C-alpha cells in the first residue's frame, strides 16, 4: 500500500493498473469517531471527481465521502454491511470502501503522496 | 483599513472555557463548540465505549455549561408557580422537581430542575439549559423583580451509572442514601458541595455542583476510582436518547407544550385544576381531549440512523410527523430516534415511513424509553430524603 494518493477531503486511492481502491484516511476515521453505518454505491455506478460517492454514519452525524477521481464502481467492500467499524480499525486495509475503474488515470497526479498528505495534516 | 474595533466585531464570538478545560485536554478530549462553550465531545475511548461504560459502571461528565442560580425571598415558590406548571409550594426542602418555563401559549421556553434549599430563608436553586440560560435568567429577573436572583459561577459535574453511588458514597459518606431527586449540601474542601441524585442518562447517578476552584480536585478524586471514566457530550446525548429524555432545542421548543411532549407527569394535580401558569388553557385542553400530536419513540427498519428533521409519513403517504432527535444506540446496537407524530397515528407497534437519501424506509413506533430507567429506589422502611 505504498502507492497511496490522498485528497484534501481525506479520501485515499490505491492504484492497481486502471483500478483504484478508495477509502478514507486514518485521520478521517479518527475525526468521525465510531462508524455505525456506511451507505455505499452500487456496482456499475459512474462517479465523477468531486461528487458524493458514499455516506458514512457515525454515532453523531452523517458525513459524505467525495470521490477524488472519476470512474465506474467495479466492487464495493462486502464486509462493511455487517462490520462498518472496519473503517475505524483498519481504514487503509480491510476498511476500504469501493474499487473503481478509472476514467482518467491522469486525475491521480493532482493528489498528494504520503509525505505531502502528512505535511497537509500538520496545517490543519 | 481595519480598525481594532472592526476586528473585534468581525471575529467569531469567543467560546467560553469550562473550569475543567485543562483537565479535559490532558485526558485527550476532542473538544467541540456547544451553546457557546468549548466542550468535550468525547475522550479517547469514543462515544460508543463511553456510553456502554456508563450503563455498566460509572462515568464523569462535565456539565458546567448549564446555568445555575438561586432565587431567594419569602413567597418565591409561589411566585415561580406563575412561570412553571410544577407544584412548587408542596416541594419539600432538599427535594428537586423537574419542570418547564412556559410562554403564554403553553410553549416550552426551557426545561429545568428546581430544588428547594434548606434553611429559614425561602430559597430555590434552579438548573437550566446552557443554550437558554441568558434568556431564562433575563425572563426570571424581569418577572420576579422583588426576589434576590443570584446566578452561580460554580462547576457542575455529573457522575452517572450503577456504580456511581458506591463511588460517591466512599468520598462523601451518606451520599449513597440520598433518595432519587433528593438533594444535600456536603462539605468539600471547606466549602459546600451540592449533591443532587439526578441525571440525564436514565441510570442512577448524581449531579455535583462545586466551587469552580475545587472542581479539578473533585474530578481527580472521582476519576481515580477504577470504575469511573470521563465521558463527553456525545455519550451524554446517546444516553439521554436511549432513556427517552427530550433535549431542549431539538425535542422541545417554544411551540411544543408539556403534554404533547410526554411531560404531563411533571404537572402537579393541583396545578392541572387551578392553573395559574402561562398557557394553562392550551394545557388544560391537551389533558382533557388528548394532545393533537405526541412525542414518540421511533425504530427505523434499517441499519442507517434516522436523523433530526426527517419527515414521517403514514401508509397513505400523508405527512404525519417528523424526527426531532435520532442517532445510533450503543447499548442496543441499532438506530433509534424520537419525534412528534399526530396522535391518531401514534400507536406503539404501528409503522410509518421516512425517506433517507432517496430510499423509503419503514419506521416502527416504539414505547419510550428504549433502555429502561434504573433510577435509585429508596429501600422500604428508610426515609426518603
Amino acid at each position: 500500500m505504498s502507492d497511496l494518493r490522498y485528497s484534501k477531503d481525506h479520501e485515499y486511492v490505491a492504484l492497481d493498473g486502471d483500478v483504484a481502491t478508495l477509502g478514507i484516511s486514518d485521520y478521517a476515521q479518527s475525526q468521525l469517531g465510531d462508524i455505525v453505518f456506511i451507505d455505499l454505491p452500487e456496482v456499475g455506478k459512474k462517479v465523477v471527481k468531486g461528487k458524493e460517492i458514499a455516506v458514512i454514519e457515525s454515532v453523531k452525524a452523517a458525513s459524505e465521502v467525495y470521490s477524488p477521481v472519476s470512474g465506474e464502481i467495479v466492487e464495493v467492500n462486502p464486509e462493511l454491511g455487517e462490520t462498518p467499524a472496519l473503517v475505524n480499525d483498519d481504514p487503509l486495509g480491510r476498511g476500504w470502501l469501493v474499487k473503481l475503474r478509472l476514467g482518467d488515470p491522469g486525475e491521480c497526479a493532482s493528489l498528494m503522496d504520503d509525505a505531502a498528505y502528512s505535511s497537509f495534516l500538520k496545517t490543519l | 483599513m481595519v480598525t481594532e474595533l472592526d476586528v473585534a466585531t468581525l471575529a467569531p464570538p469567543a467560546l467560553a472555557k469550562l473550569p475543567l478545560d485543562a483537565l479535559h485536554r490532558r485526558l485527550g478530549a476532542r473538544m467541540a463548540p456547544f451553546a457557546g462553550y468549548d466542550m468535550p465531545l468525547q475522550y479517547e475511548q469514543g462515544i460508543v465505549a463511553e456510553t456502554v461504560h456508563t450503563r455498566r459502571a460509572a462515568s464523569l461528565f462535565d456539565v458546567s455549561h448549564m446555568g445555575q442560580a438561586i432565587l431567594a425571598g419569602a413567597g418565591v415558590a409561589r411566585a415561580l408557580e406563575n412561570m412553571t406548571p410544577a407544584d412548587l409550594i408542596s416541594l419539600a426542602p432538599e427535594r428537586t422537581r423537574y419542570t418547564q418555563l412556559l410562554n403564554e401559549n403553553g410553549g416550552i421556553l426551557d426545561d429545568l430542575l428546581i430544588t428547594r434549599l434548606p434553611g429559614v430563608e425561602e430559597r430555590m436553586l434552579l438548573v437550566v439549559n446552557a443554550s437558554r440560560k441568558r434568556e431564562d435568567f433575563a425572563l426570571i429577573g424581569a418577572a420576579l423583580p422583588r426576589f434576590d436572583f443570584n446566578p452561580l459561577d460554580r462547576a457542575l459535574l455529573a457522575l452517572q451509572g450503577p456504580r456511581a453511588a458506591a463511588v460517591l458514597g466512599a468520598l462523601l459518606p451518606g451520599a449513597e442514601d440520598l433518595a432519587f431527586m433528593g438533594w444535600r449540601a456536603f462539605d468539600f474542601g471547606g466549602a459546600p458541595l451540592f449533591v443532587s441524585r439526578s441525571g440525564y442518562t436514565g441510570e442512577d447517578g448524581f449531579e455535583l455542583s462545586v466551587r469552580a476552584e475545587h472542581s479539578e480536585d473533585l474530578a481527580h478524586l472521582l476519576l481515580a476510582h477504577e470504575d469511573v471514566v470521563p465521558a463527553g457530550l456525545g455519550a451524554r446525548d446517546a444516553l439521554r436518547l436511549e432513556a427517552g429524555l427530550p433535549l431542549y432545542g431539538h425535542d422541545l421548543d417554544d411551540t411544543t407544550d408539556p403534554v404533547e411532549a410526554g411531560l404531563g407527569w411533571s404537572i402537579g394535580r393541583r396545578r392541572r385544576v387551578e392553573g395559574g401558569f402561562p398557557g394553562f388553557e392550551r394545557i388544560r385542553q391537551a389533558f382533557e381531549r388528548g394532545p393533537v400530536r405526541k412525542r414518540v419513540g421511533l425504530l427505523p427498519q434499517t441499519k442507517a440512523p434516522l436523523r433530526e428533521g426527517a419527515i414521517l409519513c403514514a401508509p397513505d403517504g400523508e405527512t404525519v410527523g417528523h424526527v426531532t432527535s435520532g442517532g445510533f444506540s450503543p447499548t442496543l446496537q441499532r438506530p433509534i430516534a424520537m419525534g412528534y407524530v399526530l396522535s391518531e397515528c401514534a400507536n406503539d407497534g404501528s409503522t410509518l415511513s421516512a425517506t433517507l437519501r432517496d430510499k423509503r424506509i419503514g419506521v416502527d413506533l416504539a414505547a419510550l424509553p428504549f433502555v429502561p430507567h434504573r433510577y435509585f429506589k429508596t429501600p422500604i422502611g428508610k426515609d426518603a430524603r
Side-chain angles (χ1 to χ4, degrees):
Chain A
M1 298 295 267
S2 57
D3 198 22
L4 293 185
R5 288 282 186 277
Y6 294 90
S7 73
K8 288 190 172 179
D9 295 324
H10 310 287
E11 292 89 13
Y12 69 82
V13 291
L15 286 178
D16 180 11
D18 66 345
V19 173
T21 300
L22 183 149
I24 64 168
S25 71
D26 188 53
Y27 172 82
Q29 72 75 21
S30 75
Q31 289 296 303
L32 293 177
D34 299 307
I35 292 169
V36 297
F37 179 80
I38 303 175
D39 204 350
L40 291 170
E42 279 169 21
V43 169
K45 189 183 173 192
K46 302 272 199 298
V47 301
V48 177
K49 179 182 173 176
K51 298 288 186 206
E52 181 186 309
I53 192 171
V55 176
I56 297 185
E57 298 265 7
S58 66
V59 176
K60 277 300 283 178
S63 308
E64 282 128 15
V65 178
Y66 301 103
S67 183
V69 289
S70 304
E72 180 183 334
I73 304 288
V74 293
E75 199 179 336
V76 299
N77 187 340
E79 290 195 278
L80 299 183
E82 275 307 308
T83 322
L86 278 177
V87 177
N88 289 124
D89 300 338
D90 190 10
L92 306 185
R94 285 178 65 196
W96 60 277
L97 300 178
V98 301
K99 294 185 182 184
L100 40 83
R101 179 160 287 115
L102 295 176
D104 173 10
E107 282 176 347
C108 295
S110 62
L111 300 175
M112 295 174 273
D113 63 14
D114 264 332
Y117 182 62
S118 298
S119 312
F120 170 65
L121 288 183
K122 288 184 187 125
T123 68
L124 299 181
Chain B
M1 202 181 104
V2 179
T3 65
E4 260 178 60
L5 186 68
D6 289 331
V7 173
T9 321
L10 292 171
L15 289 176
K17 274 195 184 357
L18 300 171
L20 290 176
D21 187 83
L23 176 65
H24 296 314
R25 290 169 199 276
R26 282 205 301 280
L27 291 169
R30 177 173 318 146
M31 307 296 282
F34 180 81
Y37 284 81
D38 204 9
M39 297 287 296
L41 178 65
Q42 63 170 80
Y43 299 84
E44 276 162 7
Q45 284 197 306
I47 295 172
V48 169
E50 290 167 21
T51 302
V52 169
H53 184 90
T54 308
R55 299 230 182 272
R56 197 169 6 194
S59 298
L60 186 67
F61 301 82
D62 185 354
V63 291
S64 303
H65 58 314
M66 299 190 75
Q68 304 176 68
I70 292 176
L71 192 61
V76 67
R78 183 174 293 276
L80 272 171
E81 284 198 351
N82 295 329
M83 309 183 77
T84 73
D87 186 341
L88 296 173
I89 291 172
S90 75
L91 183 62
E94 303 193 319
R95 295 287 304 164
T96 299
R97 207 152 268 177
Y98 168 80
T99 187
Q100 308 84 33
L101 288 169
L102 300 177
N103 66 21
E104 283 307 316
N105 302 316
I108 301 173
L109 296 170
D110 197 7
D111 61 340
L112 71 162
L113 291 173
I114 300 182
T115 304
R116 187 192 289 268
L117 296 180
V120 179
E121 193 187 9
E122 193 174 335
R123 291 181 305 159
M124 307 296 261
L125 171 66
L126 316 180
V127 179
V128 307
N129 282 300
S131 60
R132 298 293 301 163
K133 68 180 166 187
R134 186 191 303 254
E135 292 84 354
D136 292 354
F137 290 175
L139 181 74
I140 293 166
L144 307 176
R146 66 184 188 87
F147 297 95
D148 280 338
F149 183 66
N150 291 303
L152 304 179
D153 190 19
R154 296 169 72 92
L156 191 64
L157 304 181
L159 183 69
Q160 298 283 302
R163 298 287 300 147
V167 171
L168 193 65
L171 190 65
L172 304 172
E176 72 280 11
D177 295 328
L178 273 178
F180 178 58
M181 298 298 261
W183 182 98
R184 200 184 303 167
F186 289 78
D187 177 82
F188 185 75
L193 167 64
F194 305 159
V195 178
S196 158
R197 197 161 204 165
S198 61
Y200 196 42
T201 61
E203 297 294 329
D204 185 19
F206 302 85
E207 295 201 340
L208 310 165
S209 170
V210 60
R211 277 198 187 163
E213 66 266 32
H214 294 161
S215 59
E216 188 150 339
D217 288 346
L218 179 60
H220 277 302
L221 284 167
L222 295 170
L223 289 170
H225 199 288
E226 58 180 4
D227 286 338
V228 181
V229 301
L233 272 193
R236 184 171 156 87
D237 190 47
L239 287 157
R240 70 92 194 166
L241 182 55
E242 291 182 342
L245 301 171
L247 172 60
Y248 195 84
H250 299 265
D251 313 299
L252 308 175
D253 61 32
D254 62 5
T255 70
T256 45
D257 73 53
V259 181
E260 64 189 9
L263 305 173
W265 57 268
S266 67
I267 303 179
R269 197 180 297 256
R270 172 176 63 80
R271 306 301 318 273
R272 295 185 198 196
V273 177
E274 290 178 5
F277 53 85
F280 173 54
E281 192 48 36
R282 169 165 161 190
I283 286 167
R284 195 184 56 77
Q285 283 184 25
F287 272 129
E288 220 168 83
R289 301 175 201 167
V292 175
R293 56 177 191 160
K294 278 184 191 167
R295 186 167 62 90
V296 295
L298 302 163
L299 291 171
Q301 295 170 350
T302 156
K303 289 182 180 173
L306 195 58
R307 307 281 182 183
E308 181 175 359
I311 301 295
L312 298 166
C313 295
D316 63 6
E318 280 293 304
T319 296
V320 294
H322 66 286
V323 174
T324 51
S325 281
F328 181 83
S329 162
T331 305
L332 304 176
Q333 287 290 310
R334 59 158 300 149
I336 57 173
M338 63 172 86
Y340 284 84
V341 168
L342 292 177
S343 296
E344 67 251 37
C345 304
N347 304 308
D348 288 353
S350 62
T351 300
L352 303 174
S353 71
T355 304
L356 183 63
R357 294 189 281 274
D358 303 329
K359 279 182 221 123
R360 214 171 129 91
I361 56 165
V363 182
D364 295 325
L365 272 73
L368 294 172
F370 297 106
V371 174
H373 294 165
R374 297 196 291 174
Y375 300 132
F376 178 63
K377 294 187 182 73
T378 305
I380 292 169
K382 281 208 170 189
D383 261 359
R385 61 156 300 190

